[in-house]
Each structure stands twice: as C-alpha cells, then as structure tokens.
Amino acid sequence: MSNRTETSLTQELKSHILILGGIVAFLWIIEIIDFFVFRDSLNGLGIRPHHIQGLQGIFFAPFLHGNFNHLAANTLPLIILGWFVMLRDVKDFFVVTFITMIISGLGVWLFGSPNTIHIGASGVIFGYLGFLLLRGFFERSFVSIALSLVVGWLYGGLIWGVLPSQYGISWQGHLFGFIGGVFAAQILTKFHRTKA
C-alpha cells in the first residue's frame, strides 16, 4: 500500500470518527441539557401523530431521548450501522439519514397512536439497517452483498422491532425508518450507476 493511499485512508477514517463522534456527542449533550436544565420538557418537541404542530417533531425527534438508558441503547447501533453506511461514500450517510428521518417521521405522524409523543434515533437506525440489508439486493456487487450479509448476521435480529411488540416502543418509527432505508438504497444505487 502506497503512502498516498495510506494517508487517504487515515484521513477518511478521521473524517468518519469526526462525523459520528460529533453526532453522538451532540445527542448526549442534548440529553444532559434536557435532563438537568429542562427536566425532560424538550421531549415534548417529539412527533405528535395527527397534530399539525407535531410535524415539527419529524426534525427534532431523532435528537431527543426519553432518558439516558434510551440514548445508551441507541448509541452503539447508531455508530456501527452509521459507519457501515458511510464506508463507501460519506455523502451516502447524510442522504440515508435525511431520507429515513423524513419517511420514518411522516410514517409515525400518519399512523402513530393519537395522544402519544415519539422520540429517539431508532427510526434512523432502522433506516440504516434497511439500507444496508437491501443495498446488496439492489447493487448486486460482491462488496455490497458481503456487507449486507455481515449486517444481517450482526443486527438481523433487530428486524422484529418493526412489528408491534413492547409498550412504549415506537414500532411505527422502526417500520417506516426501515422502509426509508430501503428507499434510500434503491435511489442511491440508481444514482451511483448513472454516475459511473
């Protein structure tokens, strides 16, 4: 491996660490401020299904968590799956994040139970999962299929989270996040093919 390639890979890895580390730090800072300063009142900015004001939650909900345990449970999958998404192209990470945030949020707003508030990054995490599992199907390249298999082996059990199960868990956010990830995989596959 040449020094130039090694330097490029090191810079890319630093960029990945900076982006993911910055996002995770931001989430933890928000939760700390919400807990100690606002006494969890920021959670009211989450998605409120069927309420016009609740639409703003589409943009706020992924950054808000019910408590530190909720955020801790989302942190590791966010880092690992997010990193897998950005491996080929950092831009893919931002596109997938945005698409899944919007589709997950709209799905929750349309189909969530009335008088509930939905918060948390898990819709985006399920978007990453959907993107990574189905990218191999859409791209049909050895690398993307191999990555889909690795992700399926590591996180395939999460797929059950798209079904109604535990009280207090936004399965709608999971389901529509997953759908958003699949949609992002299809769009980005077409984009990369036309670009090539």
Side-chain angles (χ1 to χ4, degrees):
M1 185 183 291
S2 69
N3 285 341
R4 186 177 290 177
T5 307
E6 208 170 294
T7 304
S8 175
L9 286 173
T10 303
Q11 287 173 344
E12 197 172 322
L13 187 58
K14 281 181 183 174
S15 169
H16 295 174
I17 291 169
L18 188 65
I19 293 166
L20 288 168
I23 290 169
V24 168
F26 183 64
L27 293 177
W28 279 91
I29 288 167
I30 288 174
E31 188 56 33
I32 289 166
I33 291 171
D34 188 31
F35 182 78
F36 289 106
V37 178
F38 294 103
R39 304 294 179 200
D40 290 330
S41 64
L42 288 182
N43 292 343
L45 296 173
I47 302 166
R48 293 174 183 265
H50 315 296
H51 291 273
I52 293 298
Q53 299 91 339
L55 283 169
Q56 69 182 358
I58 291 171
F59 299 100
F60 294 128
F63 303 101
L64 303 169
H65 290 82
N67 52 46
F68 292 109
N69 288 338
H70 183 201
L71 178 53
N74 279 342
T75 297
L76 195 58
L78 182 70
I79 292 170
I80 294 171
L81 294 174
W83 184 62
F84 283 156
V85 170
M86 69 171 55
L87 270 178
R88 181 176 59 193
D89 191 342
V90 172
K91 290 175 194 167
D92 286 358
F93 171 78
F94 292 107
V95 171
V96 174
T97 301
F98 181 74
I99 289 173
T100 56
M101 192 168 73
I102 298 300
I103 293 178
S104 174
L106 283 173
V108 166
W109 190 80
L110 287 168
F111 298 102
S113 301
N115 304 316
T116 59
I117 299 176
H118 297 250
I119 54 174
S122 58
V124 173
I125 291 167
F126 273 80
Y128 295 159
L129 181 65
F131 174 80
L132 292 164
L133 287 178
L134 273 294
R135 186 170 74 173
F137 172 77
F138 292 118
E139 287 187 9
R140 310 209 178 209
S141 72
F142 174 77
V143 173
S144 60
I145 291 170
L147 186 57
S148 293
L149 292 172
V150 168
V151 169
W153 181 69
L154 289 173
Y155 284 102
L158 281 181
I159 199 73
W160 299 110
V162 303
L163 300 173
S165 54
Q166 194 176 340
Y167 176 78
I169 302 292
S170 180
W171 64 270
Q172 298 96 334
H174 297 173
L175 174 62
F176 286 99
F178 189 88
I179 290 169
V182 173
F183 181 64
Q186 192 172 21
I187 285 178
L188 284 171
T189 298
K190 286 178 182 173
F191 173 76
H192 288 301
R193 276 183 188 153
T194 55
K195 202 170 123 182

